[in-house]
Structure formats: structure tokens, C-alpha cells
Amino acid sequence: MKTLMLGAAMAALSTGVSAQTIGFSQIGSESGWRAAETTVTRQEAEARGIDLRFSDAQQRQENQIAAIRSFVAQGVDAILLAPVVATGWDSVLEEAKEAEIPVVLLDRQVDSSEDLYLTAVGSDLVHEGAVAGQWLVDNKPEGACRVVELQGTTGSSPAIDRANGFRQAIEGTPDIEIVRSQTGDFTRSGGKEVMESFLQAEGGGDNICALYAHNDDMALGAIQAIKEAGIDPGDDILIVSIDAVPDIFKAMAEGDANATVELTPNMAGPAFDALAAYMADGTEPEKFIQTESALYTQDDDPMAQYEARKDLGY
Ligand code: GZL
């Protein structure tokens, strides 16, 4: 093992990056996007000669807290945390700070004080919701448009912020009304089950103009439910969501989905770069390193978008 470690250290030094051991507390594998984030993080670590200690929390905060404590006990050089929910992190982040181990947040935010983490790498989650809402404002049919909403994990920053952003965007369009809203926990199965209950409660799809899903996986599950009800997704019910995973582009090409807002799975690259600078000479990064959010629709050659993403680990 020693020889292996030395080899890794030498390889890392050859790339000008000190050999680092970094703990990664990942939420789980609830969505295609999450799987891609894990794949890309492993690739970015390998490219930098970083020894990545990976923990899958199965979407449970207590498992993430235990993983962080374990990383602290192991004396890792830094910790990556994708926090499943926004609250409840103060004490464990204090422990990492006490141990002088920098923490970088990936793709979600925490309510803790900024001095408890080095930086956060992620998208503007409110803006993502607003882009989705603006697409509906610009593309809804004439007259009243009753919307059902599949929310992300309750208490997570994307669920809170994407809900707020969408509502801000539709505020000036009284024809658009969100009539049902429920969490599908960012999973396909959750999206399917909740969409089935929406359709049952609404007596079918005639009174539903659009679905806004906080991620593509819930939208894809909902599309299945809509089809099984004999309704035409993408036409009878417009579908707008977020992530830009390959399968949503396949759905778009088939006319079953209308729009998605891209979320890059590469949060780790900017995180590792910020850590390298900080650990080399104490360079303090900005507290928020923002990633882009681009809108894609059926007009953007969906199958080309699918081909460009299908091998990225989703
Ligand atoms: C958002 C990210 C979300 C993705 C989902 O930044 O945390 O978590 O949109 C994933 O696919 O479950």
C-alpha cells in the first residue's frame, strides 16, 4: 500500500498538484444528474492525482454527518459536501473547522455561517427556476394555464430556490396558476407516483396545462404516468424541467418534453482548483463559484444534445 501511495504522490507532484486525500460526502444516486456528478468528480480527482474517499449517504443527512466525522478522524486534507438539505450542519462543520480541514460545498447550499466552509460551487438555483417559469410565460397556450409542480427533496436548497424562481417569473402572468405542488424527491419513481396522484385528483389531464418539475428525472417519471393515462405529454401537457440529462433530450426529440435548464455535473473541477490554490498559498476563493444555466428546447437539435451527453456517466 505504501508503494502505491508513494506512486500516487509522485504522479500528483508531477502534475504540480500536491498529493491530497479528499473526502467526498455525496447525497446518493437519486437521479441521472447525481450519478454524472459522481462520475465527473472521480474523473477530476484522478486527473489531479487526488486520493478521493467517497461516501454515498443514500439521501440521509445523518449518513453525511457520520461520513464527515469519519473524514475528520482520518485526517483528510479537505472535504467535499453535497448537502442533502440546507439545515442541521453547524456542529459537524464546526468540527471540521476545528480540525482545520477546509470544506467545499457542491451543487447545494447550507444555512450555516459562511465561515464554516471555504466556498460553494453551484448554479444560481433561483435563476434556474425563473428560466423555467419564463419559458412557460413565453410558450403557454392562450388563456388560463393550470400548472402542477413536482418539487425536489423537501428542505433542500434546490427545492426551495427553484420553487421561488419559478413563482417570481410567472408573477406578472395571472393566467398561469400553480394548482398542485408536491415533492417527488428528485427521483423518477417519485415523479411518476406523484403525477399519477395529480391526474387522479384532477380527473384526468384536461385541466392541466403544464408540469414544472425541479429536475428531469421527476419529469421523465411523470411523462410515463401521463402516457399511461392516454394523454400526450409535450402537447396536451407542456413539460419543463431542469438538469439537461440525456434522456430528457430523447423525450424532447419524441415530442414528449418541451424545455430543460442545464446544470453542469462538473462542480468538482472548480472545487479542486479552489482547494489547490488555497492549500498552496492560502488564496481565499469567492464564497460562491457560480456555474452556468442554459435553456434548451425542442428547437436545439435534441438528439445532438443527447449524443453529446450520453457517455458522461448519467
Ligand atoms: C441541484 C442538484 C439536484 C439536481 C437533481 O443543484 O442538487 O439534485 O437538480 C439532484 O437531479 O437530485
Side-chain angles (χ1 to χ4, degrees), residues 42-275:
R42 291 184 190 280
Q43 291 167 346
E44 291 287 337
E46 189 177 353
R48 292 169 170 80
I50 290 169
D51 169 16
L52 189 73
R53 308 270 171 91
F54 180 79
S55 162
D56 177 331
Q58 310 285 316
Q59 282 192 286
R60 300 172 69 88
Q61 182 177 29
E62 61 269 25
N63 292 344
Q64 291 200 281
I65 290 170
I68 293 168
R69 289 199 164 118
S70 170
F71 294 145
V72 171
Q74 293 171 50
V76 297
D77 296 303
I79 292 170
L80 301 183
L81 169 63
V84 61
V85 292
T87 56
W89 301 99
D90 289 0
S91 56
V92 74
L93 292 178
E94 287 282 1
E95 292 166 32
K97 185 174 181 176
E98 278 294 303
E100 296 182 352
I101 298 175
V103 174
V104 175
L105 304 179
L106 298 189
D107 80 80
R108 295 189 186 178
Q109 301 285 347
V110 296
D111 287 353
S112 302
S113 161
E114 283 187 357
D115 70 318
L116 292 180
Y117 55 89
L118 181 66
T119 185
V121 180
S123 59
D124 179 336
L125 297 159
V126 173
H127 174 64
E128 290 172 335
V131 169
Q134 190 58 49
W135 177 87
L136 186 60
V137 169
D138 298 340
N139 292 277
K140 75 173 198 54
E142 280 301 307
C145 182
R146 300 173 82 253
V147 180
V148 292
E149 179 188 31
L150 287 168
Q151 294 203 337
T153 301
T154 303
S156 68
S157 61
I160 294 163
D161 291 350
R162 287 174 177 172
N164 290 338
F166 186 87
R167 283 159 176 76
Q168 287 167 16
I170 67 171
E171 206 168 10
T173 310
D175 272 352
I176 300 178
E177 180 193 2
I178 299 172
V179 294
R180 292 187 188 279
S181 186
Q182 189 176 329
T183 182
D185 212 16
F186 282 131
T187 66
R188 286 198 191 201
S189 58
K192 184 172 189 291
E193 282 159 30
V194 174
M195 191 68 214
E196 285 165 351
S197 70
F198 285 163
L199 289 166
Q200 192 165 18
E202 288 287 327
D206 290 348
N207 295 321
I208 300 176
C209 156
L211 163 69
Y212 167 48
H214 290 189
N215 82 331
D216 293 341
D217 280 63
M218 292 190 291
L220 290 161
I223 286 167
Q224 201 180 339
I226 292 167
K227 284 183 168 180
E228 288 172 4
I231 302 164
D232 190 355
D235 291 301
D236 300 334
I237 298 178
L238 298 176
I239 311 283
V240 56
S241 55
I242 300 170
D243 277 355
V245 302
D247 285 350
I248 204 68
F249 290 108
K250 211 185 261 187
M252 271 189 213
E254 289 155 10
D256 293 341
N258 301 92
T260 186
V261 183
E262 183 166 41
L263 178 72
T264 176
N266 189 356
M267 306 285 184
F272 289 144
D273 291 345
L275 278 167

